[in-house]
């Protein structure tokens, strides 16, 4: 893949990350019940599936095989886990902390790509990866809300998010390199559709459990499940998720994991910190400013 094309794709990812981080933060403040969580997940996964279906209509419904189905199912489950753990985690910590843990999973993909896919990793890239984690540590050393320690529940959610994100990257890379044909739009369509169906089923199950309640609770249940903010966030998040998934999976066919995931992750955590500071007024200390500069350095070193 041409260098200029790679740079443009990373810029698109950067823009989509801004949308993603803003929507995640806003939705985390609006989602206070399981039924809302599942309805929101079903909404944005379905819209993302619609975007993917439009692309499939132009590229063709080809290379539908067992590998595609297995990867789509795994990816759908991991996306669902990632959504839940990410939203729950950001309720108890800053955007930067949640992003650092989630994107720290890239270490899983890099190790797997080296031992399983036989990708070459140069010494300076390992140094760049180490510098990235230094940047992540500096950016997340203190909670951006109040400086209080992270609770046990939040830490568990952060760890689950770490695993889910890392495994998502592994599945994307496996699909790009090992699945015959590797029809990326079709892979995205099936992934988002299956995840959306799972969320919809969970939503209906939750609604069923809530029927035997008091009159006051029943009146509360009549309120709209998704308010205007969640609907808008769901549509924007769907677009961001769709484009990021398509771009990273396609890049995985020719660009090594040691470049794709660390660079996209560094971009993400830097943007998360800036979004938290400029939009949500989270604290930006001298240490975090140094972390931003170190993160930019890691991108340059890894990409050399």
């Amino acid at each position: 893949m041409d260098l200029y094309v790679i740079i443009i794709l990373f810029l698109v990812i950067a823009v989509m990350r801004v949308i993603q981080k803003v929507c995640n933060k806003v939705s985390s403040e609006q989602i206070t019940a399981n039924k809302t969580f599942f309805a929101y997940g079903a909404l944005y996964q379905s819209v993302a599936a619609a975007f993917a279906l439009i692309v499939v209509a132009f590229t063709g419904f080809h290379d539908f095989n067992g590998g595609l189905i297995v990867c789509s199912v795994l990816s759908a489950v991991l996306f669902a886990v990632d959504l839940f753990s990410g939203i729950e985690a950001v309720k108890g910590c800053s955007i930067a902390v949640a992003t650092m843990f989630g994107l720290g999973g890239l270490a899983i993909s890099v190790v797997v790509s080296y031992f399983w896919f036989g990708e070459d990793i140069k010494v300076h890239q390992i140094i760049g990866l180490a510098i990235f984690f230094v940047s992540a540590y500096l950016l997340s050393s203190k909670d951006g809300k109040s400086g209080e320690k992270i609770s046990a529940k939040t830490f568990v959610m952060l760890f689950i998010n770490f695993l889910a994100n890392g495994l998502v990257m592994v599945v994307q890379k496996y699909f790009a390199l090992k699945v015959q044909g590797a029809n990326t739009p079709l892979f995205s369509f099936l992934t988002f559709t299956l995840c959306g169906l799972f969320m919809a089923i969970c939503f209906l199950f939750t609604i069923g459990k809530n029927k035997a309640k008091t009159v006051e609770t029943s009146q509360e249940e009549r309120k709209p499940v998704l308010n205007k903010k969640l609907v808008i966030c769901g549509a924007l998040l769907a677009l961001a998720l769709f484009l990021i998934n398509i771009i990273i999976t396609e890049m995985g066919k020719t660009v090594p994991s040691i470049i794709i995931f660390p660079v996209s992750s560094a971009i993400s955590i830097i943007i998360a910190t800036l979004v938290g500071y400029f939009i949500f007024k989270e604290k930006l200390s001298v240490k975090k400013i140094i972390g931003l500069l170190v993160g930019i350095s890691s991108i340059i070193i890894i990409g050399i």
Side-chain angles (χ1 to χ4, degrees):
M1 187 175 289
D2 185 76
L3 175 61
Y4 294 106
V5 174
I6 293 176
I7 293 175
I8 291 173
L9 292 178
F10 275 130
L11 289 175
V12 174
I13 289 176
V15 174
M16 293 302 105
R17 290 297 189 193
V18 173
I19 295 174
Q20 182 183 23
K21 298 309 171 186
V22 172
C23 290
N24 282 346
K25 188 66 175 181
V26 172
S27 63
S28 71
E29 296 170 350
Q30 300 294 315
I31 297 175
T32 57
N34 287 337
K35 66 171 186 176
T36 307
F37 163 73
F38 290 124
Y40 178 68
L43 169 67
Y44 93 77
Q45 293 287 345
S46 299
V47 175
F51 284 130
L53 183 60
I54 293 173
V55 179
V56 171
F58 288 96
T59 59
F61 194 88
H62 56 82
D63 294 302
F64 186 85
N65 50 52
L68 171 67
I69 295 174
V70 171
C71 287
S72 298
V73 171
L74 289 175
S75 185
V77 172
L78 291 170
F79 268 131
V81 174
D82 175 58
L83 172 63
F84 176 76
S85 59
I87 289 178
E88 287 299 308
V90 82
K91 289 180 180 180
C93 64
S94 66
I95 295 179
V97 174
T99 302
M100 185 276 289
F101 269 83
L103 297 178
L106 67 91
I108 298 175
S109 66
V110 171
V111 172
V112 170
S113 295
Y114 177 77
F115 288 103
W116 192 5
F117 304 134
E119 291 186 346
D120 184 34
I121 300 178
K122 296 179 174 59
V123 175
H124 75 272
Q125 291 175 323
I126 296 177
I127 295 174
L129 182 61
I131 292 175
F132 162 74
F133 284 111
V134 171
S135 169
Y137 169 75
L138 292 172
L139 289 171
S140 61
S141 57
K142 287 186 178 180
D143 178 49
K145 288 181 177 179
S146 61
E148 297 178 355
K149 291 183 178 180
I150 295 175
S151 67
K153 176 185 176 182
T154 299
F155 181 78
V156 170
M157 290 297 105
L158 289 170
F159 182 71
I160 292 174
N161 198 243
F162 162 82
L163 291 178
N165 272 276
L167 293 176
V168 163
M169 296 176 196
V170 171
V171 172
Q172 288 174 325
K173 192 68 180 184
Y174 179 87
F175 174 79
L177 295 179
K178 300 295 183 179
V179 175
Q180 181 181 359
N183 187 336
T184 303
L186 184 56
F187 168 62
S188 296
F189 169 69
L190 291 177
T191 295
F192 297 137
T193 299
L194 291 172
C195 190
L197 286 174
F198 173 75
M199 290 289 183
I201 292 172
C202 290
F203 169 71
L204 294 175
F205 178 76
T206 304
I207 291 295
K209 288 181 62 177
N210 291 338
K211 283 187 175 180
K213 290 191 173 182
T214 62
V215 175
E216 291 88 356
T217 306
S218 297
Q219 291 175 344
E220 182 71 19
E221 293 291 327
R222 293 193 188 99
K223 294 181 180 180
V225 178
L226 298 177
N227 58 34
K228 185 177 180 180
K229 285 185 178 180
L230 285 176
V231 172
I232 295 174
C233 283
L236 292 175
L237 187 58
L239 175 62
L241 180 63
F242 163 69
L243 289 177
I244 291 172
N245 188 65
I246 284 281
I247 291 172
I248 289 181
T249 305
E250 275 298 307
M251 289 177 69
K253 296 178 181 179
T254 55
V255 182
S257 296
I258 189 63
I259 293 178
I260 298 175
F261 299 122
V263 172
S264 62
S265 297
I267 290 173
S268 183
I269 194 169
I270 289 171
I271 286 176
T273 303
L274 294 175
V275 167
Y277 175 73
F278 287 107
I279 298 180
F280 299 106
K281 309 305 179 183
E282 294 180 350
K283 296 178 181 179
L284 187 60
S285 62
V286 174
K287 184 179 289 186
K288 289 189 177 182
I289 293 174
I290 295 174
L292 289 172
L293 297 176
V294 172
I296 294 172
S297 299
S298 72
I299 295 176
I300 297 173
I301 294 173
I302 292 171
I304 293 178

